Amino acid sequence: MRVAALAGEIDFGGWRKAARAFRQAGVTPEQAAFRVGADGDGLFDESLPPSAPGAPSFSVPKAFVDLAQEVILHRSADRFDLLYRLLWRLAAEPDLMHVVTDPDVADAVERAKNVSRASHKMKAFVRFRQMEDVAGECWVAWFEPVHRVVEKTAPFFVRRFASLRWSILTSDGSASWDGEKLTFGPSATRDMAPAEDEIEEFWKTYYASTFNPARLKTRAMQGEMPRRYWKNLPEAALIPELVAQSAVRTEAMVAASAPEPNARLAKTLSRLNRDHAFDEGFVPSTLSELDQAVQACRRCPLWRDATQGVCGEGPKRAKLMIVGEQPGDQEDLAGHPFVGPAGRVLDAALDEVGIDREDVFVTNAVKHFKHEPRGKRRLHKTPSAGEVSACRWWLDAERRLVKPKVIVTLGATAAFGVLARKVAVTKERGRGIDLTDGAKALLTVHPSYLLRIPDAAAKAAERDRFVADLEQAKVLL
Ligand code: URA
């Protein structure tokens, strides 16, 4: 057995160097082992094993390197071995990464998906608490990620909270942003983060007021917000009681009147999310710049009542872009597109067609949630043509950066956002329409339309047509 010592659990550089040396020296997967922090048998660093005489140098497909960088963040102990097995096999099977049914490839892809999911959950469930240190106000969060995604996910928080000083502490390590520089530090313990702060009660009030008992679906809710995250979410303490009271509150809600907005919460949220100056002439050259710039957007008044701007998400070179109308209530709170009920309908349909949502850039024609208060609820309002036209600036920027081949529009607002003309979706749906940038648009209905059809047979038939439209998009790809 040849043992390579790695500097840390996510030491991709160290693994890569050792794995290369192993492969060139003819060390088989059965003979190779990787240990974190352990003393190897001298194979690591200066005394890596010598190459077998005449061993050719080799390169590996980029798809493997990209996948390996994700898989290494998985918490499973055997991930290094799986990756080395793949690397070893690539010598004799150069197309291996395309064989999605191969057990090793499928296993690695699944682990990468788990890592990506853990990163998404971290974006949604980190809760900062306010503290004072010698330099003044700062925000600290304790988080327990399922996989080792702190370093991968920290840049998201830099973009979102660029003007604040913050730290995220986890048992894997910590990430800190001082307003200029992101640094990573050692692991932490829960007691190093503050347990409560001044705005905690406001988060709870806010959550309780946006919690809609009439739409309560406990299983779906747990799917989005798994129980393992609850202990670090201030608002989660309210869930059992809100669920227990949902029937009574549904009745009371009907008669309730619109509450006064919570001024202190609004102030805190506006500091968190909108502490940037709007520069109309700024043209983002990356998706993260775009995301940050949208937070400061003043092209129309919708930013005023929204929690945050919700930009598109997905691979930066996705071939398929899906455009919805605008973020809904849940998307506005989570900061991600299509994570609520319409998103679940979309996900299920994509699944059925065999399109992986992770491969799709999912966005909206309008980036802020337009709504009006009704009792304690925030009711969706359709954006006006003027608002969609104002927000087309951002959609066009996303299109320029991602350069999708096919753009599927969900509903009339999305079609107007992409085509910049009034459209009858029912007449033009399901076929490719040439766009000036060389992409093709394919129009279909919005998934929330499917949710609203009362008759079961009509609903099933409409859903089939929706799935058929997505299949058509796949053909166009
Ligand atoms: N509906 C949309 O159009 N977009 C979302 O992101 C969510 C619901």
Side-chain angles (χ1 to χ4, degrees):
M1 180 64 72
R2 314 298 299 267
V3 181
L6 304 181
E9 296 284 358
I10 59 169
D11 177 15
F12 181 71
W15 176 85
R16 177 143 95 164
K17 194 170 169 190
R20 271 187 166 273
F22 277 168
R23 199 180 116 176
Q24 284 200 309
V27 178
T28 66
E30 293 72 31
Q31 298 165 332
F34 302 85
R35 303 266 184 274
V36 173
D39 289 334
D41 62 353
L43 295 186
F44 193 58
D45 268 341
E46 301 92 278
S47 35
L48 288 167
S51 301
S57 67
F58 65 93
S59 61
V60 291
K62 181 170 178 308
F64 171 75
V65 180
D66 290 346
L67 185 70
Q69 279 174 312
E70 293 288 292
V71 171
I72 212 148
L73 308 183
H74 198 275
R75 230 174 256 288
S76 49
D78 64 344
R79 64 199 182 285
F80 301 123
D81 306 331
L82 168 65
L83 291 176
Y84 186 59
R85 203 157 57 242
L86 281 169
L87 180 77
W88 178 262
R89 290 181 57 199
L90 276 167
E93 304 166 69
D95 290 330
L96 178 62
M97 299 315 294
H98 297 298
V99 187
V100 289
T101 50
D102 178 90
D104 283 339
V105 175
D107 187 358
V109 168
E110 186 58 30
R111 291 190 211 198
K113 274 191 189 158
N114 293 338
V115 166
S116 165
R117 222 167 282 137
S119 173
H120 279 299
K121 294 293 180 204
M122 180 167 173
K123 290 175 191 171
F125 296 140
V126 160
R127 293 289 180 271
F128 289 100
R129 290 167 163 122
Q130 195 175 10
M131 280 181 82
E132 288 284 325
D133 65 11
V134 280
E137 180 189 84
C138 61
W139 299 80
V140 180
W142 167 251
F143 190 66
E144 297 174 41
V146 180
H147 298 292
R148 297 186 178 97
V149 292
V150 177
E151 298 199 10
K152 172 183 166 68
T153 318
F156 166 87
F157 292 97
V158 171
R159 292 192 298 274
R160 181 97 346 144
F161 302 125
S163 58
L164 303 175
R165 292 191 311 120
W166 53 257
S167 293
I168 302 173
L169 311 181
T170 81
S171 54
D172 300 322
S174 57
S176 295
W177 172 250
D178 65 3
E180 285 175 4
K181 203 160 152 253
L182 179 64
T183 47
F184 297 101
S187 63
T189 51
R190 191 185 185 140
D191 56 348
M192 292 162 84
E196 280 185 2
D197 77 354
E198 209 194 335
I199 70 160
E200 194 119 315
E201 284 312 308
F202 295 116
W203 270 115
K204 289 186 188 169
T205 313
Y206 187 57
Y207 183 77
S209 67
T210 57
F211 179 89
N212 181 351
R215 284 196 188 165
L216 177 64
K217 289 198 180 76
T218 319
R219 273 183 50 201
M221 187 175 80
Q222 282 183 21
E224 282 304 319
M225 193 198 269
R227 266 183 188 275
R228 65 187 316 281
Y229 295 103
W230 287 19
K231 62 179 179 296
N232 296 316
L233 295 174
E235 67 269 32
L238 304 171
I239 293 174
E241 194 177 341
L242 288 169
V243 170
Q245 290 176 357
S246 62
V248 179
R249 285 191 59 209
T250 303
E251 279 173 32
M253 206 171 72
V254 176
S257 61
E260 284 297 304
N262 184 322
R264 286 182 72 188
L265 173 65
K267 213 168 133 210
T268 304
L269 286 176
S270 69
R271 272 229 323 281
L272 282 172
N273 294 315
R274 301 175 191 140
D275 206 5
H276 314 278
F278 178 48
D279 173 1
E280 196 159 350
F282 174 69
V283 179
S285 55
T286 63
L287 289 169
S288 56
E289 278 182 7
L290 187 147
D291 190 271
Q292 207 170 319
V294 164
Q295 305 313 322
C297 181
R298 301 291 184 270
R299 287 177 204 278
C300 82
L302 292 184
W303 65 273
R304 284 178 205 281
D305 296 325
T307 309
Q308 58 197 307
V310 180
C311 290
E313 283 181 354
K316 55 176 183 271
R317 283 280 177 269
K319 289 202 178 72
L320 177 61
M321 176 180 274
I322 295 184
V323 181
E325 182 195 67
Q326 61 166 354
D329 183 66
Q330 294 191 26
E331 288 80 12
D332 167 81
L333 294 174
H336 306 292
F338 280 102
V339 294
R344 284 188 284 280
V345 174
L346 177 64
D347 287 351
L350 288 173
D351 239 20
E352 204 168 317
V353 186
I355 298 177
D356 189 341
R357 172 151 172 184
E358 305 269 327
D359 295 335
V360 183
F361 191 86
V362 179
T363 189
N364 282 298
V366 170
K367 308 296 186 224
H368 286 101
F369 177 36
K370 182 173 182 180
H371 59 278
E372 64 183 10
R374 177 75 53 82
K376 293 192 171 178
R377 293 190 292 155
R378 302 190 300 168
L379 284 196
H380 163 275
K381 275 190 85 180
T382 304
S384 68
E387 286 152 355
V388 179
S389 299
C391 215
R392 187 175 297 115
W393 200 90
W394 299 113
L395 180 61
D396 285 350
E398 286 178 324
R399 284 173 57 185
R400 262 196 319 277
L401 291 170
V402 179
K403 300 185 178 54
K405 228 174 129 191
V406 176
I407 303 178
V408 172
T409 65
L410 307 176
T413 303
F416 176 57
V418 171
L419 297 179
R421 63 172 168 84
K422 286 271 185 259
V423 183
V425 174
T426 44
K427 287 202 190 118
E428 299 194 45
R429 73 185 290 180
R431 60 185 165 82
I433 298 173
D434 290 328
L435 298 170
T436 49
D437 61 359
K440 281 198 185 306
L442 186 138
L443 279 42
T444 187
V445 295
H446 195 283
S448 58
Y449 158 71
L450 303 177
L451 283 168
R452 288 194 304 267
I453 301 174
D455 176 68
K459 193 183 196 121
E462 269 306 313
R463 189 177 176 282
D464 286 350
R465 290 191 68 195
F466 180 61
V467 169
D469 288 344
L470 293 180
E471 244 151 25
Q472 194 50 36
K474 202 173 163 190
V475 172
L476 290 178
L477 284 172

